């Protein structure tokens, strides 16, 4: 546990951020040092459900955009060394500055530890690495940025005596499933009927019974671990086969007992999940029960914002998310921006949520996920918007937007929700963390570049369109790749995405899928 004195020192350090931080949109000539710690400091057992998750430390390489500023230095930490061609790829994407100049101001450090621990923990366990960082850093100019904030990141901030540009871990509850619901209620944001947090099968069954009685026409319910990641901690309970215990047929006690027995029929989003294992996670992490939003035509939009060290709340983007898995619960990718039908509405709700989070003391990135269900005439539809969760971390929609900012030197305009290049041209993108096929296994980052350049699909800085890649280290082992395809329209971005897939498929056609 962190002592009150240490917590007080941590807050003192965070107050220094207002003098050390500036927006990535600003051309900054001040001397700064940024320590990037792309640690996924989440439940490690839950994380292992994500294929190739050990390569997700590459997702924060968009932070190299800060090297556009001539006096900024970046120290980037990883569990294992990054492949040099991946680093070169990002540096060569930086517009307006020689890659060699940027490379001189980049320090790469690795723990050489591939164990299933958060990267931050690995760093803290290496006193000589910590001492090396202290020698490199000027404590009057440096700060840490990370993927998500926990007590580990607070310990690292204290160990290096520099501020952390991230949420105070004491506020993490606002990014849980139960905490999200409380924020939605405070902000009067529409959200599905649901339960409080519970920690046992019996209490979960009682919570499901209560929600079902409040909404008798429910067909399905979502059971969510309070700290699930990317939808992998969600399960679906189908109520339709349970008509004999529906509200109005039996008493509450009988319904709760039958529902407890029915928990063994849960449908899991992760193919390796089992009920005994999931039940143990309920005792450890807690869970909520929430109404599953039905609809013939649904979208999954999100809004991304940040709370700056100056205390201002800024909307950064909106997206329509691509979800997969057995019941459409797992994040696969996204398109920017969200549909014009509702993007300004979710921006307004995201602003209200950000202001409430700021009032609680929150800092840095937050994302809000929604379900949008089309109602009425398809020719002139209305959309029922329901908020479903808050993520207090950099998420799957963070790096695509930052990639587009890096490549185009452009800006997001919150008045219309569109993105404009430096030449005031509107740009759109389609992005994914999960372009994955068995036949892609064995491709090296250099092979990927050969394929993309040969097909003229790489990003063209003159035209401001093309593809940019991430998770390239994941490709050879898992056949999995991340990409952001930037176009002049949503249709153009989708066309570029399809062209990349077609080029990769053609280059690997006939490759042994068992390789």
């Amino acid at each position: 546990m962190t002592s009150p004195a240490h917590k007080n020192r941590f807050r003192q350090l965070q107050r220094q951020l207002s003098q050390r931080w500036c927006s990535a949109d600003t051309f900054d000539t001040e001397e700064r040092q940024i320590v990037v710690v792309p640690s996924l400091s989440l439940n490690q057992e839950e994380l292992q459900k994500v294929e190739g998750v050990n390569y997700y430390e590459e997702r924060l390489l968009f932070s190299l955009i800060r090297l556009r500023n001539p006096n900024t230095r970046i120290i980037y930490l990883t569990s294992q060394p990054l492949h040099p061609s991946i680093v070169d790829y990002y540096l060569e994407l930086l517009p307006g500055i020689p890659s060699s100049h940027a490379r001189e101001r980049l320090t790469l450090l690795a723990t050489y530890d591939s164990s299933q621990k958060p990267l931050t923990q690995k760093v803290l366990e290496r006193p000589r690495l910590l001492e090396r960082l202290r020698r490199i850093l000027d404590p009057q100019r440096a700060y840490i940025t990370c993927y998500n904030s926990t007590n580990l990141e607070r310990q690292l901030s204290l160990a290096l005596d520099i501020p952390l540009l991230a949420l105070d871990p004491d506020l993490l509850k606002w990014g849980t499933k139960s905490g999200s619901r409380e924020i939605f209620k405070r902000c009067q944001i529409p959200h599905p009927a649901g339960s409080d947090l519970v920690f046992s099968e019996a209490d979960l069954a009682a919570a499901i019974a209560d929600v079902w009685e409040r909404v008798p026409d429910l067909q399905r319910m979502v059971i969510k671990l309070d700290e699930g990641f990317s939808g992998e901690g969600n399960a679906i309970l189908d109520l339709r086969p349970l008509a004999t215990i529906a509200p109005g047929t039996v008493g509450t006690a009988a319904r709760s007992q039958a529902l407890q027995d029915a928990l063994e029929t849960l449908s899991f989003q992760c193919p390796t999940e089992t009920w005994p294992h999931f039940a143990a996670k309920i005792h450890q992490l807690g869970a909520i029960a929430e109404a599953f939003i039905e609809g013939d035509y649904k979208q999954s939009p999100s809004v991304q914002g940040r709370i700056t060290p100056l205390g201002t709340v800024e909307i950064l983007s909106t997206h329509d998310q691509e979800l997969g898995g057995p019941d459409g619960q797992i994040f696969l990718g996204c398109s920017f921006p969200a549909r014009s039908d509702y993007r300004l509405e979710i921006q307004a709700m995201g602003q209200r949520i950000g202001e409430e989070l700021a009032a609680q003391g929150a800092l840095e990135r937050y994302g809000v996920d929604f379900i949008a269900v089309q109602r009425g005439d398809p020719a002139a539809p209305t959309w029922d918007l329901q908020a479903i969760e808050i993520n207090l971390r950099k998420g799957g929609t963070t790096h695509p937007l930052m990639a587009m900012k890096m490549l185009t030197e452009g800006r997001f305009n919150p008045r219309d929700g569109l993105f404009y290049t430096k030449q005031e041209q509107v740009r759109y993108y389609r992005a994914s963390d999960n372009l994955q096929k068995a036949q892609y296994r064995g491709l090296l980052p250099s092979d990927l570049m050969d394929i993309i350049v040969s097909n003229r699909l790489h990003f063209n800085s003159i035209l401001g369109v093309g593809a940019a890649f991430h998770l390239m280290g994941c490709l050879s082992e898992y056949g999995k790749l991340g990409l952001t395809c930037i176009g002049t329209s949503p249709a153009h971005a989708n066309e570029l995405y399809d062209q990349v897939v077609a080029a990769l498929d053609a280059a690997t056609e006939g490759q042994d899928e068992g390789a």
Side-chain angles (χ1 to χ4, degrees):
M1 294 291 291
T2 304
S3 70
H6 284 143
K7 289 184 178 183
N8 184 54
R9 176 56 182 162
F10 176 75
R11 287 189 286 269
Q12 289 175 352
L13 287 170
Q14 283 204 307
R15 285 195 285 270
Q16 297 174 12
L17 286 166
S18 60
Q19 284 78 47
R20 302 192 191 188
W21 173 90
C22 72
S23 170
D25 297 328
T26 305
F27 181 71
D28 178 24
T29 59
E30 294 294 320
E31 290 190 22
R32 303 193 193 277
Q33 295 177 327
I34 304 172
V35 182
V36 183
V37 187
S39 176
L40 275 68
S41 299
L42 301 162
N43 183 280
Q44 294 300 296
E45 193 172 353
E46 287 299 299
L47 277 181
Q48 297 314 307
K49 297 175 181 177
V50 181
E51 272 202 293
V53 72
N54 47 315
Y55 290 100
Y56 275 53
E57 292 173 4
E58 294 179 18
R59 292 205 303 180
L60 261 63
L61 281 168
F62 68 76
S63 302
L64 301 192
I65 189 175
R66 297 278 185 174
L67 292 173
R68 292 188 306 181
N69 299 322
N71 295 313
T72 292
R73 296 183 176 275
I74 288 181
I75 298 91
Y76 198 101
L77 292 157
T78 51
S79 294
Q80 292 287 356
L82 293 168
H83 194 287
S85 65
I86 295 174
V87 179
D88 290 343
Y89 172 75
Y90 276 87
L91 294 177
E92 287 164 6
L93 291 178
L94 288 169
I97 190 165
S99 61
S100 59
H101 191 278
R103 186 65 181 84
E104 290 176 356
R105 294 178 285 111
L106 173 63
T107 300
L108 301 172
L109 297 173
T111 63
Y112 294 88
D113 181 349
S114 59
S115 63
Q116 292 180 16
K117 298 178 185 176
L119 168 62
T120 310
Q121 181 180 345
K122 298 172 187 176
V123 175
L124 288 167
E125 290 174 348
R126 288 164 171 78
R128 288 179 180 271
L129 180 56
L130 285 172
E131 186 55 38
R132 183 177 179 186
L133 285 166
R134 293 188 191 102
R135 289 198 303 268
I136 292 172
L137 296 172
D138 178 349
Q140 301 305 312
R141 301 181 187 277
Y143 66 87
I144 302 169
T145 185
C146 60
Y147 172 77
N148 70 305
S149 174
T150 68
N151 190 48
L152 290 171
E153 284 67 38
R154 177 164 55 193
Q155 289 178 45
L156 183 61
S157 169
L158 292 167
L160 298 176
D161 202 36
I162 60 175
L164 174 69
L165 179 63
L167 182 78
D168 185 327
D170 286 352
L171 302 175
L172 279 171
K173 65 176 181 178
W174 302 122
T176 62
K177 305 300 186 290
S178 57
S180 297
R181 293 183 58 82
E182 186 173 339
I183 293 288
F184 298 152
K185 185 176 180 180
R186 291 185 184 190
C187 296
Q188 298 183 324
I189 302 293
H191 57 286
S195 74
D196 293 333
L197 187 63
V198 297
F199 290 89
S200 72
E201 297 96 309
D203 288 345
L204 177 59
I208 295 169
D210 175 67
V211 176
W212 198 3
E213 288 167 13
R214 284 188 276 140
V215 190
D217 60 348
L218 272 182
Q219 299 180 43
R220 288 178 284 182
M221 294 199 69
V222 189
I223 312 304
K224 299 180 177 180
L225 296 177
D226 206 34
E227 299 177 31
F229 174 76
S230 190
E232 299 278 3
N234 292 0
I236 301 294
L237 177 63
D238 193 342
L239 300 175
R240 290 167 292 190
L242 305 174
T244 56
I245 60 165
T249 59
V250 298
T252 298
R255 181 176 303 107
S256 295
Q257 182 57 57
L259 284 168
Q260 186 170 343
D261 296 337
L263 290 174
E264 296 187 8
T265 69
L266 285 175
S267 167
F268 299 106
Q269 304 310 294
C270 175
T272 60
E273 185 62 277
T274 63
W275 165 242
H277 181 265
F278 193 83
K281 288 293 182 182
I282 293 172
H283 288 270
Q284 178 186 351
L285 301 174
I288 64 166
E290 191 170 87
F292 185 93
I293 304 298
E294 306 286 351
D296 293 333
Y297 188 74
K298 295 192 292 186
Q299 293 284 351
S300 300
S302 68
V303 60
Q304 181 183 188
R306 75 175 166 203
I307 302 158
T308 75
L310 305 177
T312 56
V313 177
E314 300 175 350
I315 297 299
L316 301 178
S317 65
T318 63
H319 294 86
D320 280 320
Q321 299 180 95
E322 179 184 349
L323 302 179
D327 300 286
Q329 299 283 301
I330 297 175
F331 178 83
L332 298 179
C334 60
S335 297
F336 170 90
R339 291 177 62 115
S340 59
D341 310 54
Y342 48 66
R343 67 169 169 255
L344 295 184
E345 187 174 354
I346 65 172
Q347 282 183 202
M349 288 193 279
Q351 183 75 26
R352 281 154 52 195
I353 290 167
E355 289 168 359
E356 176 62 28
L357 290 169
Q360 299 302 320
L363 179 66
E364 242 287 342
R365 300 290 175 126
Y366 68 94
V368 187
D369 294 339
F370 295 83
I371 294 293
V373 181
Q374 190 180 90
R375 309 291 190 196
D377 183 357
T382 59
W383 292 88
D384 176 24
L385 293 166
Q386 299 280 325
I388 54 172
E389 66 182 48
I390 299 169
N391 293 304
L392 294 178
R393 59 176 183 256
K394 295 178 174 69
T397 60
T398 301
H399 53 279
L401 179 74
M402 294 305 295
M404 187 155 71
K405 290 174 76 69
M406 175 189 285
L407 293 165
T408 67
E409 298 183 276
R411 60 183 175 80
F412 174 75
N413 183 349
R415 289 189 295 277
D416 58 12
L418 298 175
F419 187 94
Y420 293 84
T421 69
K422 192 165 62 173
Q423 293 77 30
E424 295 300 316
Q425 298 170 325
V426 179
R427 289 292 181 267
Y428 304 79
Y429 61 74
R430 179 180 174 187
S432 176
D433 281 342
N434 287 278
L435 176 55
Q436 184 175 19
K437 296 186 180 182
Q439 69 194 63
Y440 298 167
R441 290 178 189 157
L443 286 177
L444 302 177
S446 55
D447 298 325
L448 171 67
M449 290 302 104
D450 287 343
I451 295 166
I452 297 307
V453 171
S454 297
N455 287 274
R456 303 177 69 182
L457 293 170
H458 59 290
F459 185 78
N460 185 316
S461 58
I462 297 173
L463 299 177
V465 299
F469 298 91
H470 60 279
L471 291 182
M472 288 184 282
C474 199
L475 187 57
S476 181
E477 184 175 353
Y478 291 96
K480 185 175 182 180
L481 180 66
L483 72 162
T484 302
C485 294
I486 301 170
T488 56
S489 68
H492 186 211
N494 284 328
E495 180 185 351
L496 288 169
Y497 185 96
D498 292 340
Q499 288 175 357
V500 169
V501 174
L504 289 170
D505 287 352
T508 57
E509 186 177 5
Q511 183 169 308
D512 180 9
E513 294 196 358

